[in-house]
Amino acid sequence: MTADRQNHSSPPRVAVAQLGARRHYAVPSALEACGLLDSLFTDFYATDAWEKAGSLLPGAARLLDRRSPGIPGSTVRHFPLFGLHRAWLGRRALSEAGRIRNYADANRRFCKLVCSHWPDSADTFYVFNSAGLEILEEAGRRGLRRVVDQITAPWEVEQALLDEERCRFPDWEPATDPAAWAALAERERQEWEMADRIVCGSLFVKDSIARLGGPSEKCAVVPYGTRSAAIRSAPRPRHAGPLRVLFAGTLQLRKGIQYLAAAARLVPAGKAVFRVVGASQLSQQATDDLRGRIELRGAVPRSAMRLEYEWADVLATPSISEGSANVCYEALAEGLPVIATPNTGSVVRDGSEGFVIPIRSAEALAECIARLADDHSMWTLLSQNACRRAAEFSDRQYASALAAAVTRES
């Protein structure tokens, strides 16, 4: 099958190669909704047979959540033994450098598995950054259209930002050996050159590619979305008492948790309470530093996140580097004002659905929290705008925009 099909009146047939659930299969689900999905290749997918065997697998709950009702089972080709081995290696990694090396090796092995089970009915291949190089090479030999999803800022940009953070907070996270991620950065650059289209979740990601001299002319910015059914038609009232500030995401320097901790110390006592939801990658010393004025909830199941949003009055995402943080879309859908940085890659507009503050500014974060704590009418206006903004970025809008980006020739 060649890319000549692109010139015919029939829609393209897109094969997606995806390690892990990645935004709970948002890309293949969106393509299926538009009638474009040919096949999904992944490491582990919870087919009926595996679901029945799940009770025999230790720690299988998260793996058994890997399925989507929007994707026909007949389109899925997975490699479960490879997926289970990958998960096992991930748990055994003793260092960040080891984790990255495992990740790079898994990316290469996954690509080779996909290439050995090539979908002859597809005329387009959609891969994710640093995990699609060998697939793109084979797709080029076969004359297929090639699309890369750059899910976050490039490795070179992100690691430079994190090196600066580790200098500022030397005891919070272990340093990463540049040699561990350099190969992934090189894979990214080669993937960009091969791609016909690079899909970016935010302008921050596109600008980061341009900053490295990458082909920004190939980039299409496609913000994410959230389920239409999850979007409130009107916000609920603000809770009585102190403003409830929620942080949702992995506790790591990249997410800016260190600046939330500093802001919590700057906000006058009694104005706000802080809750953090997510697994931790921080040192014990850093974790102890967070305690006191912040409630650490740990990781919660995806199905329980709505209860966390219902607890909150505002979402704080002071990220140093993201693609386009999913939690921002989910919070807007719940009518929560969002305080974000430009590097969060959100669709929040400053002063409309929340505030956009500079990275590394605990002072700006504390000021916004204090303003919302004091001004109930402002909170109400931002909350109403949040629901309206979420409606502009539903799963249907995302599917339409993604399909346009994948099929557009220029």
Side-chain angles (χ1 to χ4, degrees):
M1 187 64 62
T2 71
D4 291 342
R5 284 189 57 174
Q6 297 284 339
N7 299 320
H8 296 174
S9 58
S10 59
R13 301 298 301 167
V14 185
V16 177
Q18 171 178 321
L19 276 167
R22 289 210 185 282
R23 296 170 38 235
H24 214 67
Y25 305 102
V27 166
S29 295
L31 294 173
E32 173 63 23
C34 294
L36 303 181
L37 183 66
D38 174 86
S39 46
L40 167 64
F41 290 84
T42 191
D43 51 340
F44 184 94
Y45 196 82
T47 61
D48 291 341
W50 278 100
E51 189 169 24
K52 291 176 182 177
S55 60
L56 304 176
L57 298 173
R62 292 192 67 180
L63 284 175
L64 294 179
D65 192 41
R66 288 194 183 183
R67 64 189 304 169
S68 171
I71 302 173
S74 59
T75 67
V76 178
R77 180 62 188 263
H78 72 142
F79 310 104
L81 295 181
F82 163 78
L84 291 171
H85 185 247
R86 174 174 174 259
W88 178 76
L89 286 176
R91 288 194 295 270
R92 283 175 54 87
L94 300 178
S95 66
E96 179 67 5
R99 184 190 68 81
I100 292 175
R101 282 192 291 270
N102 286 345
Y103 178 71
D105 182 61
N107 288 357
R108 288 188 292 269
R109 290 190 292 128
F110 176 64
C111 287
K112 291 177 180 178
L113 282 170
V114 173
C115 289
S116 66
H117 296 80
W118 197 262
D120 290 331
S121 54
D123 56 30
T124 302
F125 231 116
Y126 191 114
V127 302
F128 293 80
N129 63 294
S130 75
L133 179 60
E134 292 80 5
I135 296 170
L136 296 179
E137 290 172 338
E138 180 64 22
R141 285 191 286 269
R142 293 173 179 257
L144 275 66
R145 182 170 171 81
R146 296 172 287 185
V147 181
V148 173
D149 193 315
Q150 185 72 33
I151 59 173
T152 188
W155 280 91
E156 290 178 65
V157 170
E158 186 163 284
Q159 291 300 317
L161 288 167
L162 286 177
D163 283 346
E164 294 171 359
E165 288 307 304
R166 292 179 184 120
C167 289
R168 289 167 174 253
F169 301 87
D171 299 319
W172 282 53
E173 278 184 7
T176 299
D177 181 1
W181 57 262
L184 289 166
E186 179 57 29
R187 284 176 68 87
E188 274 186 333
R189 286 184 175 273
Q190 293 182 50
E191 289 165 351
W192 297 342
E193 293 306 314
M194 294 180 191
D196 296 293
R197 175 74 61 209
I198 303 170
V199 176
C200 306
S202 66
L203 188 60
F204 169 64
V205 174
K206 179 181 178 181
D207 288 347
S208 296
I209 292 174
R211 195 183 318 161
L212 296 176
S216 60
E217 70 279 1
K218 295 181 180 181
C219 294
V221 176
V222 182
Y224 301 156
T226 193
R227 292 184 305 109
S228 299
I231 301 172
R232 287 180 180 268
S233 57
R236 49 157 175 77
R238 211 200 94 172
H239 294 96
L243 186 77
R244 300 181 180 186
V245 182
L246 177 68
F247 173 102
T250 304
L251 279 64
Q252 57 184 172
L253 294 178
R254 183 173 69 84
K255 297 284 188 178
I257 183 65
Q258 61 276 28
Y259 297 104
L260 181 71
R265 290 191 290 268
L266 294 172
V267 175
K271 282 190 180 294
V273 292
F274 297 81
R275 175 181 286 187
V276 169
V277 174
S280 178
Q281 294 182 1
L282 301 177
S283 67
Q284 188 60 51
Q285 177 179 332
T287 303
D288 292 341
D289 190 57
L290 294 177
R291 290 196 174 96
R293 296 200 64 185
I294 295 180
E295 177 191 2
L296 302 183
R297 295 269 289 167
V300 303
R302 179 183 176 87
S303 58
M305 273 306 300
R306 186 155 198 174
L307 294 176
E308 302 299 334
Y309 294 127
E310 289 177 356
W311 171 88
D313 294 316
V314 62
L315 179 77
T317 58
S319 298
I320 303 302
S321 179
E322 298 269 6
S324 186
N326 285 311
V327 292
C328 292
Y329 297 91
E330 294 171 358
L332 292 174
E334 292 289 340
L336 293 181
V338 175
I339 305 172
T341 69
N343 297 17
T344 303
S346 78
V347 295
V348 173
R349 298 168 295 187
D350 188 46
S352 181
E353 302 84 28
F355 300 105
V356 180
I357 62 172
I359 63 169
R360 299 173 173 145
S361 180
E363 295 78 11
L365 179 55
E367 180 183 347
C368 291
I369 291 170
R371 286 178 65 188
L372 288 176
D374 291 337
D375 193 335
H376 285 225
S377 61
M378 173 184 285
W379 183 92
T380 299
L381 176 62
L382 298 185
S383 179
Q384 291 169 345
N385 291 343
C387 291
R388 297 191 188 102
R389 188 64 165 167
E392 297 174 18
F393 294 92
S394 68
D395 49 2
R396 287 192 292 269
Q397 275 86 359
Y398 172 70
S400 177
L402 182 66
V406 168
T407 58
R408 193 167 61 243
E409 290 296 330
S410 60

mmCIF file of all heavy atoms in Angstrom, residues 338-371:
data_model
loop_
_atom_site.group_PDB
_atom_site.id
_atom_site.type_symbol
_atom_site.label_atom_id
_atom_site.label_comp_id
_atom_site.label_asym_id
_atom_site.label_seq_id
_atom_site.Cartn_x
_atom_site.Cartn_y
_atom_site.Cartn_z
ATOM 1 N N VAL A 338 -7.981 27.762 36.855
ATOM 2 C CA VAL A 338 -6.677 27.102 36.768
ATOM 3 C C VAL A 338 -5.574 28.154 36.786
ATOM 4 O O VAL A 338 -5.652 29.156 36.064
ATOM 5 C CB VAL A 338 -6.564 26.250 35.488
ATOM 6 C CG1 VAL A 338 -5.165 25.666 35.340
ATOM 7 C CG2 VAL A 338 -7.611 25.140 35.493
ATOM 8 N N ILE A 339 -4.569 27.924 37.611
ATOM 9 C CA ILE A 339 -3.367 28.755 37.608
ATOM 10 C C ILE A 339 -2.267 27.933 36.948
ATOM 11 O O ILE A 339 -1.887 26.867 37.458
ATOM 12 C CB ILE A 339 -2.950 29.167 39.026
ATOM 13 C CG1 ILE A 339 -4.111 29.853 39.749
ATOM 14 C CG2 ILE A 339 -1.737 30.100 38.968
ATOM 15 C CD1 ILE A 339 -3.844 30.125 41.226
ATOM 16 N N ALA A 340 -1.777 28.395 35.798
ATOM 17 C CA ALA A 340 -0.825 27.623 35.003
ATOM 18 C C ALA A 340 0.321 28.516 34.557
ATOM 19 O O ALA A 340 0.254 29.748 34.658
ATOM 20 C CB ALA A 340 -1.524 27.017 33.790
ATOM 21 N N THR A 341 1.363 27.888 34.035
ATOM 22 C CA THR A 341 2.462 28.600 33.393
ATOM 23 C C THR A 341 2.329 28.442 31.883
ATOM 24 O O THR A 341 1.611 27.548 31.406
ATOM 25 C CB THR A 341 3.821 28.036 33.832
ATOM 26 O OG1 THR A 341 3.974 26.715 33.281
ATOM 27 C CG2 THR A 341 3.941 27.981 35.354
ATOM 28 N N PRO A 342 3.031 29.259 31.088
ATOM 29 C CA PRO A 342 3.017 29.034 29.635
ATOM 30 C C PRO A 342 3.525 27.640 29.276
ATOM 31 O O PRO A 342 3.064 27.040 28.294
ATOM 32 C CB PRO A 342 3.960 30.124 29.102
ATOM 33 C CG PRO A 342 3.952 31.191 30.145
ATOM 34 C CD PRO A 342 3.805 30.462 31.453
ATOM 35 N N ASN A 343 4.461 27.110 30.070
ATOM 36 C CA ASN A 343 5.045 25.805 29.786
ATOM 37 C C ASN A 343 4.122 24.655 30.144
ATOM 38 O O ASN A 343 4.423 23.498 29.831
ATOM 39 C CB ASN A 343 6.364 25.648 30.540
ATOM 40 C CG ASN A 343 7.407 26.656 30.097
ATOM 41 O OD1 ASN A 343 7.082 27.652 29.466
ATOM 42 N ND2 ASN A 343 8.657 26.401 30.429
ATOM 43 N N THR A 344 3.003 24.950 30.800
ATOM 44 C CA THR A 344 2.000 23.919 31.057
ATOM 45 C C THR A 344 1.289 23.520 29.779
ATOM 46 O O THR A 344 0.736 22.430 29.682
ATOM 47 C CB THR A 344 0.976 24.414 32.098
ATOM 48 O OG1 THR A 344 1.659 24.795 33.294
ATOM 49 C CG2 THR A 344 -0.042 23.349 32.447
ATOM 50 N N GLY A 345 1.282 24.412 28.789
ATOM 51 C CA GLY A 345 0.646 24.101 27.510
ATOM 52 C C GLY A 345 -0.861 24.037 27.583
ATOM 53 O O GLY A 345 -1.497 23.309 26.826
ATOM 54 N N SER A 346 -1.460 24.799 28.483
ATOM 55 C CA SER A 346 -2.914 24.731 28.665
ATOM 56 C C SER A 346 -3.620 25.728 27.747
ATOM 57 O O SER A 346 -2.987 26.580 27.114
ATOM 58 C CB SER A 346 -3.283 25.033 30.119
ATOM 59 O OG SER A 346 -3.227 26.430 30.360
ATOM 60 N N VAL A 347 -4.943 25.625 27.699
ATOM 61 C CA VAL A 347 -5.756 26.568 26.926
ATOM 62 C C VAL A 347 -6.331 27.661 27.828
ATOM 63 O O VAL A 347 -7.186 28.435 27.414
ATOM 64 C CB VAL A 347 -6.899 25.840 26.182
ATOM 65 C CG1 VAL A 347 -6.326 24.895 25.137
ATOM 66 C CG2 VAL A 347 -7.815 25.090 27.150
ATOM 67 N N VAL A 348 -5.853 27.744 29.054
ATOM 68 C CA VAL A 348 -6.292 28.776 29.999
ATOM 69 C C VAL A 348 -5.768 30.134 29.535
ATOM 70 O O VAL A 348 -4.605 30.273 29.156
ATOM 71 C CB VAL A 348 -5.772 28.463 31.420
ATOM 72 C CG1 VAL A 348 -6.064 29.615 32.374
ATOM 73 C CG2 VAL A 348 -6.398 27.177 31.926
ATOM 74 N N ARG A 349 -6.640 31.137 29.580
ATOM 75 C CA ARG A 349 -6.266 32.502 29.225
ATOM 76 C C ARG A 349 -6.186 33.342 30.492
ATOM 77 O O ARG A 349 -7.073 33.271 31.345
ATOM 78 C CB ARG A 349 -7.275 33.085 28.243
ATOM 79 C CG ARG A 349 -7.333 32.321 26.922
ATOM 80 C CD ARG A 349 -8.508 32.707 26.068
ATOM 81 N NE ARG A 349 -9.778 32.340 26.704
ATOM 82 C CZ ARG A 349 -10.960 32.446 26.107
ATOM 83 N NH1 ARG A 349 -11.032 32.884 24.864
ATOM 84 N NH2 ARG A 349 -12.056 32.104 26.748
ATOM 85 N N ASP A 350 -5.145 34.127 30.572
ATOM 86 C CA ASP A 350 -4.888 34.903 31.777
ATOM 87 C C ASP A 350 -6.027 35.878 32.061
ATOM 88 O O ASP A 350 -6.411 36.677 31.203
ATOM 89 C CB ASP A 350 -3.576 35.681 31.620
ATOM 90 C CG ASP A 350 -3.150 36.345 32.914
ATOM 91 O OD1 ASP A 350 -3.190 35.685 33.960
ATOM 92 O OD2 ASP A 350 -2.782 37.540 32.874
ATOM 93 N N GLY A 351 -6.593 35.752 33.261
ATOM 94 C CA GLY A 351 -7.668 36.633 33.670
ATOM 95 C C GLY A 351 -9.040 36.218 33.191
ATOM 96 O O GLY A 351 -10.039 36.875 33.511
ATOM 97 N N SER A 352 -9.127 35.130 32.410
ATOM 98 C CA SER A 352 -10.420 34.686 31.892
ATOM 99 C C SER A 352 -10.903 33.421 32.598
ATOM 100 O O SER A 352 -11.938 33.430 33.260
ATOM 101 C CB SER A 352 -10.332 34.438 30.384
ATOM 102 O OG SER A 352 -11.583 34.020 29.865
ATOM 103 N N GLU A 353 -10.142 32.312 32.454
ATOM 104 C CA GLU A 353 -10.492 31.063 33.145
ATOM 105 C C GLU A 353 -9.563 30.790 34.311
ATOM 106 O O GLU A 353 -9.684 29.763 34.969
ATOM 107 C CB GLU A 353 -10.434 29.877 32.185
ATOM 108 C CG GLU A 353 -11.330 29.992 30.978
ATOM 109 C CD GLU A 353 -10.693 30.784 29.850
ATOM 110 O OE1 GLU A 353 -9.452 30.788 29.747
ATOM 111 O OE2 GLU A 353 -11.452 31.405 29.081
ATOM 112 N N GLY A 354 -8.651 31.676 34.537
ATOM 113 C CA GLY A 354 -7.656 31.504 35.590
ATOM 114 C C GLY A 354 -6.548 32.503 35.383
ATOM 115 O O GLY A 354 -6.779 33.618 34.893
ATOM 116 N N PHE A 355 -5.333 32.098 35.692
ATOM 117 C CA PHE A 355 -4.181 32.981 35.544
ATOM 118 C C PHE A 355 -3.028 32.223 34.904
ATOM 119 O O PHE A 355 -2.840 31.031 35.161
ATOM 120 C CB PHE A 355 -3.731 33.521 36.905
ATOM 121 C CG PHE A 355 -4.789 34.312 37.616
ATOM 122 C CD1 PHE A 355 -5.470 33.766 38.704
ATOM 123 C CD2 PHE A 355 -5.118 35.595 37.205
ATOM 124 C CE1 PHE A 355 -6.448 34.472 39.360
ATOM 125 C CE2 PHE A 355 -6.108 36.321 37.856
ATOM 126 C CZ PHE A 355 -6.769 35.771 38.937
ATOM 127 N N VAL A 356 -2.257 32.922 34.073
ATOM 128 C CA VAL A 356 -1.033 32.373 33.495
ATOM 129 C C VAL A 356 0.133 33.141 34.107
ATOM 130 O O VAL A 356 0.237 34.365 33.937
ATOM 131 C CB VAL A 356 -1.018 32.496 31.963
ATOM 132 C CG1 VAL A 356 0.279 31.909 31.394
ATOM 133 C CG2 VAL A 356 -2.230 31.782 31.363
ATOM 134 N N ILE A 357 0.978 32.433 34.838
ATOM 135 C CA ILE A 357 2.068 33.051 35.585
ATOM 136 C C ILE A 357 3.411 32.589 35.033
ATOM 137 O O ILE A 357 3.488 31.548 34.378
ATOM 138 C CB ILE A 357 1.975 32.698 37.088
ATOM 139 C CG1 ILE A 357 2.114 31.186 37.293
ATOM 140 C CG2 ILE A 357 0.664 33.222 37.688
ATOM 141 C CD1 ILE A 357 2.221 30.750 38.744
ATOM 142 N N PRO A 358 4.477 33.323 35.271
ATOM 143 C CA PRO A 358 5.795 32.881 34.801
ATOM 144 C C PRO A 358 6.215 31.588 35.495
ATOM 145 O O PRO A 358 5.809 31.307 36.629
ATOM 146 C CB PRO A 358 6.725 34.034 35.198
ATOM 147 C CG PRO A 358 5.835 35.204 35.460
ATOM 148 C CD PRO A 358 4.540 34.628 35.956
ATOM 149 N N ILE A 359 7.046 30.808 34.811
ATOM 150 C CA ILE A 359 7.617 29.645 35.487
ATOM 151 C C ILE A 359 8.528 30.131 36.617
ATOM 152 O O ILE A 359 9.055 31.233 36.587
ATOM 153 C CB ILE A 359 8.402 28.725 34.516
ATOM 154 C CG1 ILE A 359 9.607 29.434 33.897
ATOM 155 C CG2 ILE A 359 7.486 28.173 33.444
ATOM 156 C CD1 ILE A 359 10.550 28.514 33.148
ATOM 157 N N ARG A 360 8.672 29.277 37.629
ATOM 158 C CA ARG A 360 9.596 29.525 38.747
ATOM 159 C C ARG A 360 9.218 30.746 39.592
ATOM 160 O O ARG A 360 10.073 31.329 40.234
ATOM 161 C CB ARG A 360 11.024 29.672 38.237
ATOM 162 C CG ARG A 360 11.538 28.433 37.520
ATOM 163 C CD ARG A 360 12.885 28.665 36.880
ATOM 164 N NE ARG A 360 13.422 27.425 36.334
ATOM 165 C CZ ARG A 360 14.152 27.336 35.232
ATOM 166 N NH1 ARG A 360 14.452 28.427 34.561
ATOM 167 N NH2 ARG A 360 14.598 26.171 34.815
ATOM 168 N N SER A 361 7.942 31.102 39.608
ATOM 169 C CA SER A 361 7.549 32.266 40.403
ATOM 170 C C SER A 361 6.558 31.844 41.481
ATOM 171 O O SER A 361 5.344 31.861 41.269
ATOM 172 C CB SER A 361 6.935 33.358 39.521
ATOM 173 O OG SER A 361 6.560 34.467 40.317
ATOM 174 N N ALA A 362 7.091 31.459 42.625
ATOM 175 C CA ALA A 362 6.225 31.146 43.765
ATOM 176 C C ALA A 362 5.467 32.384 44.205
ATOM 177 O O ALA A 362 4.318 32.289 44.669
ATOM 178 C CB ALA A 362 7.073 30.600 44.909
ATOM 179 N N GLU A 363 6.080 33.548 44.035
ATOM 180 C CA GLU A 363 5.429 34.798 44.440
ATOM 181 C C GLU A 363 4.172 35.061 43.613
ATOM 182 O O GLU A 363 3.124 35.421 44.164
ATOM 183 C CB GLU A 363 6.401 35.969 44.299
ATOM 184 C CG GLU A 363 7.601 35.913 45.226
ATOM 185 C CD GLU A 363 8.686 34.952 44.758
ATOM 186 O OE1 GLU A 363 8.600 34.479 43.603
ATOM 187 O OE2 GLU A 363 9.616 34.671 45.551
ATOM 188 N N ALA A 364 4.264 34.876 42.287
ATOM 189 C CA ALA A 364 3.095 35.085 41.437
ATOM 190 C C ALA A 364 2.007 34.064 41.754
ATOM 191 O O ALA A 364 0.814 34.393 41.766
ATOM 192 C CB ALA A 364 3.495 34.994 39.969
ATOM 193 N N LEU A 365 2.405 32.831 42.006
ATOM 194 C CA LEU A 365 1.437 31.793 42.350
ATOM 195 C C LEU A 365 0.729 32.137 43.654
ATOM 196 O O LEU A 365 -0.508 32.044 43.749
ATOM 197 C CB LEU A 365 2.147 30.443 42.457
ATOM 198 C CG LEU A 365 1.297 29.230 42.832
ATOM 199 C CD1 LEU A 365 0.116 29.056 41.897
ATOM 200 C CD2 LEU A 365 2.161 27.965 42.849
ATOM 201 N N ALA A 366 1.482 32.548 44.649
ATOM 202 C CA ALA A 366 0.889 32.913 45.941
ATOM 203 C C ALA A 366 -0.045 34.106 45.804
ATOM 204 O O ALA A 366 -1.117 34.148 46.425
ATOM 205 C CB ALA A 366 1.996 33.213 46.944
ATOM 206 N N GLU A 367 0.341 35.073 44.971
ATOM 207 C CA GLU A 367 -0.502 36.254 44.779
ATOM 208 C C GLU A 367 -1.842 35.876 44.156
ATOM 209 O O GLU A 367 -2.899 36.367 44.580
ATOM 210 C CB GLU A 367 0.221 37.267 43.891
ATOM 211 C CG GLU A 367 -0.588 38.529 43.633
ATOM 212 C CD GLU A 367 0.110 39.492 42.681
ATOM 213 O OE1 GLU A 367 1.315 39.306 42.405
ATOM 214 O OE2 GLU A 367 -0.560 40.426 42.207
ATOM 215 N N CYS A 368 -1.827 35.005 43.151
ATOM 216 C CA CYS A 368 -3.079 34.584 42.499
ATOM 217 C C CYS A 368 -3.969 33.814 43.472
ATOM 218 O O CYS A 368 -5.193 33.993 43.491
ATOM 219 C CB CYS A 368 -2.766 33.716 41.284
ATOM 220 S SG CYS A 368 -2.002 34.611 39.915
ATOM 221 N N ILE A 369 -3.364 32.950 44.282
ATOM 222 C CA ILE A 369 -4.140 32.188 45.264
ATOM 223 C C ILE A 369 -4.781 33.133 46.268
ATOM 224 O O ILE A 369 -5.974 33.007 46.602
ATOM 225 C CB ILE A 369 -3.229 31.163 45.964
ATOM 226 C CG1 ILE A 369 -2.827 30.057 44.974
ATOM 227 C CG2 ILE A 369 -3.928 30.551 47.176
ATOM 228 C CD1 ILE A 369 -1.734 29.136 45.484
ATOM 229 N N ALA A 370 -4.020 34.107 46.741
ATOM 230 C CA ALA A 370 -4.556 35.056 47.715
ATOM 231 C C ALA A 370 -5.685 35.885 47.110
ATOM 232 O O ALA A 370 -6.695 36.170 47.786
ATOM 233 C CB ALA A 370 -3.437 35.963 48.230
ATOM 234 N N ARG A 371 -5.548 36.295 45.836
ATOM 235 C CA ARG A 371 -6.606 37.070 45.183
ATOM 236 C C ARG A 371 -7.902 36.272 45.109
ATOM 237 O O ARG A 371 -8.983 36.787 45.388
ATOM 238 C CB ARG A 371 -6.168 37.472 43.773
ATOM 239 C CG ARG A 371 -5.132 38.574 43.721
ATOM 240 C CD ARG A 371 -4.736 38.870 42.293
ATOM 241 N NE ARG A 371 -5.841 39.411 41.510
ATOM 242 C CZ ARG A 371 -5.789 39.609 40.194
ATOM 243 N NH1 ARG A 371 -4.687 39.277 39.516
ATOM 244 N NH2 ARG A 371 -6.822 40.123 39.550
#
